[in-house]
Amino acid sequence: IFQNHPQTLNLVHFSSEELDPETLYRQLVEIRELAGPYCHGFQLNIAWPDPKLLIKFAAQSKKTVIVMQVRTREFAQIDHRTKTLADRLKQYEHLTDYLLLDSSGGHGHPLIPTELAPYLRIFTQKKLAMGFGVAGGLSAANMFLVEPLAKEFPDLSIDAEGCLRNEDDH
């Protein structure tokens, strides 16, 4: 159950291999209802969701924050080309609130600032209308990895979870 706190962004992390936009739409609507009043939105861990799905969902639901995650697979699909990713993101520009670059794919591999910085630079140059975040094995021991990115991109968000937990998942 989500908590109501002004400094919290409560998101459902939604992952699916489903490709049918209508099925995905129904799933998002159902999950949004089940999540309760303090759910602010979704982190979509879906490879390139159909923009029509996001348009339909936005039209049918109350204000919902959408974070789209670009993982290892999506980086490979664009052959790690910064301009290709920036161009592809144009279709999501007014449909998502944030883009999360996660080159570790949720496997806890530490992020590499020099690999992510070129993407953030081109997004900034193209003035994409969304916020940006990075993820990748962040923990108390390696938060210094974010420092050069945070200096260059002061509005950057981070996502840290897996490596913050102990063996008992606390």
Side-chain angles (χ1 to χ4, degrees):
I1 295 180
F2 292 117
Q3 301 297 309
N4 184 20
H5 189 281
Q7 293 181 319
T8 302
L9 178 61
N10 294 313
L11 299 175
V12 171
H13 287 221
F14 181 72
S15 181
S16 178
E17 297 299 320
E18 177 64 54
L19 297 177
D20 177 51
E22 192 56 39
T23 302
L24 284 170
Y25 169 76
R26 286 193 310 271
Q27 291 173 342
L28 289 173
V29 169
E30 182 178 354
I31 292 167
R32 183 72 174 96
E33 289 299 315
L34 292 171
Y38 303 125
C39 175
H40 301 119
F42 290 91
Q43 177 176 308
L44 298 178
N45 302 340
I46 300 171
W48 314 117
D50 186 335
K52 292 179 206 149
L53 159 74
L54 299 177
I55 292 168
K56 182 177 179 180
F57 185 70
Q60 297 296 323
S61 68
K62 60 185 176 181
K63 174 58 182 150
T64 301
V65 174
I66 299 292
V67 177
M68 191 170 84
Q69 184 183 40
V70 174
R71 303 165 293 178
T72 309
R73 178 173 45 181
E74 290 82 26
F75 282 112
Q77 287 173 348
I78 54 118
D79 200 25
H80 300 273
R81 294 193 172 119
T82 57
K83 185 180 179 318
T84 302
L85 181 56
D87 290 344
R88 185 138 196 199
L89 290 175
K90 286 300 264 183
Q91 66 184 321
Y92 297 99
E93 189 170 19
H94 297 286
L95 303 174
T96 60
D97 299 280
Y98 299 94
L99 175 74
L100 179 64
L101 299 175
D102 183 359
S103 57
S104 84
H107 296 288
H109 305 298
L111 68 84
I112 301 171
T114 55
E115 287 181 4
L116 298 180
Y119 292 101
L120 296 168
R121 284 186 197 112
I122 198 162
F123 300 160
T124 302
Q125 289 168 359
K126 289 188 173 277
K127 295 182 168 73
L128 291 176
M130 60 181 76
F132 303 105
V134 294
L138 295 173
S139 69
N142 68 7
M143 284 302 292
F144 66 89
L145 294 172
V146 177
E147 187 175 355
L149 295 173
K151 282 182 178 175
E152 187 173 351
F153 309 99
D155 294 330
L156 187 69
S157 298
I158 63 163
D159 179 309
E161 180 194 358
C163 293
L164 300 177
R165 298 176 178 277
N166 66 18
E167 62 277 351
D168 296 322
D169 201 29
H170 292 109

